[in-house]
Amino acid sequence: MTGTKKEIRKAMLLERSGQTEALRTEAGLQALKRLMALDQYKNAESVMIYIDIKNELPTGAMIVEMLNAGKTVVLPSLDGSCRI
């Protein structure tokens, strides 16, 4: 994909907005399964992840699984200068 960062973000947002909730949920579950199979995840004491917004891959189930597995979950913090 080519273009400016702003153009790429706009294109990705448009693509995601056309996906159904069921498709996003299934993609999130598949990502969770792949993550849990990684040795890096299994051996990690802490994991950094984002909270999904604007039709991004849902991360809620991943965060719950990480906490249930005893992992420290680290989330990014946005300041007032960030635009979403």
Side-chain angles (χ1 to χ4, degrees), residues 24-59:
R24 282 192 298 277
T25 299
E26 180 59 28
L29 292 173
Q30 291 301 318
L32 176 58
K33 287 178 186 177
R34 290 196 321 250
L35 175 67
M36 291 174 56
L38 295 173
D39 287 337
Q40 294 91 334
Y41 172 76
K42 292 175 186 175
N43 296 326
E45 293 179 15
S46 61
V47 181
M48 184 170 199
I49 191 168
Y50 64 91
I51 296 176
D52 57 283
I53 58 170
K54 294 188 179 181
N55 301 321
E56 292 175 330
L57 183 77
T59 58

Side-chain angles (χ1 to χ4, degrees), residues 32 36 41 59-71 73:
L32 176 58
M36 291 174 56
Y41 172 76
T59 58
M62 290 182 199
I63 293 169
V64 169
E65 172 57 36
M66 291 171 185
L67 292 171
N68 288 340
K71 310 268 186 209
V73 177

Side-chain angles (χ1 to χ4, degrees), residues 77-84:
S77 174
L78 301 176
D79 65 22
S81 67
C82 295
R83 291 187 176 206
I84 299 173

Side-chain angles (χ1 to χ4, degrees), residues 3-12:
T4 66
K5 187 175 182 179
K6 186 175 182 178
E7 291 168 337
I8 293 169
R9 282 187 171 168
K10 185 176 180 179
M12 295 308 299

